[in-house]
Amino acid sequence: MSKTFDYIIIGAGSAGCVLANRLSADPGARVLLLEAGGRDRNPLFRLPMLMGKLFQSGVYNWHYHTEPEPYLNGRSLYWPRGKVLGGSSTINGMIYVRGNRHDYDRWSQMGLPGWSYDDVLPAFRRSEGHIQRNGEYHGSGGELTVCRARGSNPLHEIFINAGVEAGHPANDDFNGEGQEGFGRFDFTIKDGKRWSTSRAFLQPVLDRKNLTVETGALTKRIVVENGRAVGVEYLQDGETKTAHADREIVVSAGTVNSPQVLLLSGIGPADEVAAHGIEPVHDLPGVGKNLQDHVDCVMSWECTKPVTLYSDLRADKLAWSMVEGMMFGRGIVTTFSYEGGAFLKSDDRLEAPDIQLHFMPALEKTANLHFPNPFKRKNPTESDHGFTMRVGPVNPESRGEITLRSADPSDAPRIQANYLQSDHDLQTMIAGIRMTREVIAQKSFDPYRGKELAPGPEAASDADLEAWLRETAMTTFHPVGTCKMGTDANAVVDARLKVRGLEGLRIADASIMPIISSGNTNAPAIMIGEKAAEFMTMEDQRS
């Protein structure tokens, strides 16, 4: 069976949903959106606090793991990636951070016109429907509802005050004029419910007659004829189907699956694809390379007063909060636990912050909803009550790669992130740990600060901290860069997101980032979808 469309989009994630919305706005354009996962109908998707459970579930999640990481004592790290309409925006932490002006200006300086901060800001504003903010840096009319942090836990203000006491600025808006300082994140939450890209961009336009959405559709390969991408073979309900594209195919399958789709199609390093019995179609050595991710560590302290989320997540309280959240959009489950944040400079001479903090007024086990027993009596100075800080560099130098495991599209690709490969990353993390300790030592925390649980006061020297990091460091779940945009020999796409050397094929998702953005990467992925739609629409109008 075969059908013909003008555009085929592979992947209904953060960028893919934006593209489906924007391209199908032209009633004369026939658009097909292919998603390997299912529909996002589970009501648990809506409650922000349940993000931890969605991350662990394998139902709406590719449930990837890295290969043993050589610089993390051979540990394999868990990589959740959304396998559902909305992609990872349906299971993520909903933090809305665009990155730093410096990030995009560096992209532009690499010979990529149209990607400076001033160029991408209109795309960010076009999508954004901020409830409280407007003006030069924000949009209020876009489909993506964004709001300020909703939680009321007092430790967030304690955290911000302590940062100021330690000599850092307060910052009310990480997406405004400057990124540096202590404040609270903004979130993609609407009326107390998760506002994924599926809910924002796709659900409102499903009734368009020119938009076809196929779920459970696993891409097998892109069909290339005479140097042009002309169709997609995909597996659905045990049957191989083919769709043809008259204009363009856009791969928006994410940092892991976009290079996998290209490699399965024979597009990539010729020797690598041939080794799996795949006929090389287009030798493109950079496919799957340049993998970057934000490594971080989890520091934690006991809290000497029972003011943490532990009390709110007692089993009896939580049950009512879930009902309240679903019916009325309020209560603790309509918030995300990591509301406090900071962007810091490890050296005042730096042009932009190089460290990000995520603060949570709870311990990790509480955030993952290990439901406390309401009848269990414990002294509040014991370790059920505590607070957590995640610390990591925003500009890591370590680079990894995505490669095929086999020619079977259902086999997970090999992920080698190479966390802490670079001494720069290690030293930046150690600096971040020391700066964090200095913040927690401030007067504002005196009534609440108990014992440091991790890494613990015994980890004092650089050698101690290095050993602890190699044993415990993890990912902030922000992989990017495996189909990088650029002008060098390893670039996969050009500044218009067209695959170099092929016609009719673009890539639009976080995989095109030449350098990772400073902070959480969902907002930039949405912006990339907007930019791709902008390029395609402009070119169609000219033709």
Side-chain angles (χ1 to χ4, degrees):
M1 294 181 60
S2 177
K3 293 185 178 180
T4 299
F5 300 84
D6 294 299
Y7 302 110
I8 300 175
I9 304 164
I10 301 173
S14 294
C17 286
V18 174
L19 275 163
N21 179 300
R22 302 301 188 229
L23 295 178
S24 65
D26 175 2
R30 301 158 297 168
V31 180
L32 171 64
L33 178 62
L34 298 174
E35 169 55 44
R39 304 262 171 182
D40 55 336
R41 291 172 175 157
N42 189 327
L44 296 183
F45 285 139
R46 311 288 173 254
L47 298 178
M49 187 63 79
L50 299 188
M51 167 264 184
K53 290 300 182 186
L54 294 173
F55 249 43
Q56 297 303 319
S57 167
V59 178
Y60 307 102
N61 186 341
W62 289 97
H63 223 256
Y64 291 135
H65 291 78
T66 71
E67 298 299 296
E69 290 294 333
Y71 308 98
L72 296 184
N73 296 348
R75 291 182 291 126
S76 174
L77 300 193
Y78 175 48
W79 267 34
R81 298 282 89 197
K83 186 181 181 183
V84 62
L85 292 180
S88 293
S89 77
T90 301
I91 66 171
N92 71 356
M94 298 150 289
I95 296 175
Y96 183 82
V97 170
R98 296 173 178 172
N100 193 284
R101 172 185 289 272
H102 182 56
D103 299 330
Y104 304 106
D105 287 346
R106 282 197 295 169
W107 293 10
S108 178
Q109 292 160 10
M110 296 169 68
L112 298 168
W115 291 95
S116 71
Y117 177 77
D118 290 339
D119 291 321
V120 302
L121 179 58
F124 278 118
R125 295 182 72 244
R126 186 182 309 130
S127 292
E128 185 183 18
H130 206 297
I131 295 174
Q132 293 99 352
R133 306 187 197 273
N134 204 342
E136 179 182 359
Y137 297 103
H138 292 281
S140 59
E143 295 90 341
L144 185 72
T145 298
V146 182
C147 67
R148 289 174 177 263
R150 298 164 48 88
S152 59
N153 190 281
L155 287 177
H156 289 300
E157 288 304 313
I158 299 299
F159 161 73
I160 296 169
N161 293 339
V164 173
E165 289 174 349
H168 306 285
N171 191 338
D172 182 59
D173 182 6
F174 294 129
N175 301 306
E177 183 175 0
Q179 190 185 49
E180 184 180 6
F182 279 69
R184 295 199 194 194
F185 296 115
D186 284 356
F187 291 86
T188 51
I189 295 175
K190 181 178 182 179
D191 299 327
K193 308 291 198 309
R194 170 190 296 276
W195 202 239
S196 68
T197 56
S198 172
R199 304 291 288 181
F201 296 98
L202 188 59
Q203 301 293 337
V205 300
L206 285 177
D207 60 348
R208 289 178 179 169
K209 297 186 184 305
N210 62 327
L211 174 62
T212 302
V213 179
E214 297 288 353
T215 56
L218 179 66
T219 296
K220 296 179 69 175
R221 71 181 181 110
I222 297 165
V223 180
V224 177
E225 295 178 357
N226 300 318
R228 182 178 183 85
V230 297
V232 178
E233 283 186 4
Y234 61 97
L235 188 66
Q236 187 182 50
D237 298 326
E239 180 183 357
T240 295
K241 302 179 181 180
T242 304
H244 291 277
D246 281 347
R247 297 190 196 175
E248 289 192 73
I249 297 168
V250 187
V251 183
S252 296
T255 296
V256 178
N257 296 101
S258 284
Q260 182 190 27
V261 166
L262 294 183
L263 293 168
L264 290 169
S265 307
I267 304 168
D271 55 343
E272 286 188 24
V273 298
H276 293 284
I278 300 168
E279 180 182 355
V281 170
H282 181 51
D283 188 13
L284 205 55
V287 173
K289 314 308 179 188
N290 192 50
L291 174 62
Q292 302 161 57
D293 190 15
H294 286 140
V295 63
D296 76 352
C297 63
V298 178
M299 302 180 71
S300 60
W301 284 260
E302 289 183 346
C303 185
T304 58
K305 292 187 177 181
V307 295
T308 72
L309 294 179
Y310 181 82
S311 300
D312 293 313
L313 297 180
R314 270 180 17 187
D316 54 341
K317 289 185 177 182
L318 188 66
W320 165 245
S321 184
M322 290 177 67
V323 173
E324 188 180 31
M326 290 299 297
M327 294 183 65
F328 307 110
R330 62 176 186 248
I332 191 66
V333 297
T334 68
T335 67
F336 181 58
S337 48
Y338 279 106
E339 288 196 343
F343 291 90
L344 311 177
K345 294 179 181 179
S346 63
D347 187 324
D348 289 338
R349 294 170 295 182
L350 291 172
E351 187 172 352
D354 61 337
I355 294 169
Q356 183 178 9
L357 307 182
H358 293 78
F359 175 76
M360 176 174 65
L363 300 175
E364 282 279 357
K365 64 180 179 180
T366 302
N368 289 333
L369 303 187
H370 290 217
F371 305 134
N373 184 339
F375 306 107
K376 183 179 180 181
R377 295 183 178 275
K378 292 195 75 172
N379 187 315
T381 61
E382 295 187 52
S383 61
D384 283 337
H385 280 285
F387 48 87
T388 298
M389 195 87 76
R390 299 188 72 147
V391 183
V394 295
N395 298 304
E397 291 185 352
S398 301
R399 296 291 185 268
E401 64 177 358
I402 303 288
T403 55
L404 290 180
R405 192 175 303 274
S406 77
D408 184 346
S410 63
D411 274 356
R414 297 184 186 276
I415 302 169
Q416 190 74 69
N418 289 330
Y419 297 110
L420 297 187
Q421 174 192 57
S422 165
D423 187 64
H424 166 273
D425 300 350
L426 175 64
Q427 296 306 320
T428 304
M429 291 191 77
I430 291 174
I433 290 170
R434 297 198 185 282
M435 294 174 75
T436 299
R437 282 174 166 169
E438 182 180 353
V439 170
I440 302 300
Q442 298 302 312
K443 183 178 179 180
S444 289
F445 269 111
D446 284 352
Y448 307 95
R449 181 181 54 251
K451 177 184 176 183
E452 181 182 311
L453 300 173
E458 63 278 5
S461 69
D462 284 4
D464 293 335
L465 292 174
E466 177 179 350
W468 178 72
L469 286 169
R470 296 204 186 278
E471 183 60 33
T472 64
M474 55 186 297
T475 167
T476 322
F477 314 110
H478 299 158
V480 307
T482 51
C483 297
K484 83 167 188 174
M485 175 173 55
T487 59
D488 61 286
N490 281 322
V492 177
V493 298
D494 64 17
R496 310 290 281 188
L497 305 184
K498 295 181 178 181
V499 173
R500 297 171 68 229
L502 286 177
E503 297 293 324
L505 184 61
R506 295 190 207 233
I507 303 174
D509 54 35
S511 73
I512 65 93
M513 291 189 187
I515 302 172
I516 194 168
S517 59
S518 298
N520 312 71
T521 51
N522 188 52
I526 295 169
M527 177 275 290
I528 290 166
E530 289 279 16
K531 291 290 286 184
E534 174 187 318
F535 296 149
M536 295 169 73
T537 301
M538 289 173 59
E539 290 174 17
D540 286 344
Q541 289 172 348
R542 285 200 296 265
S543 62

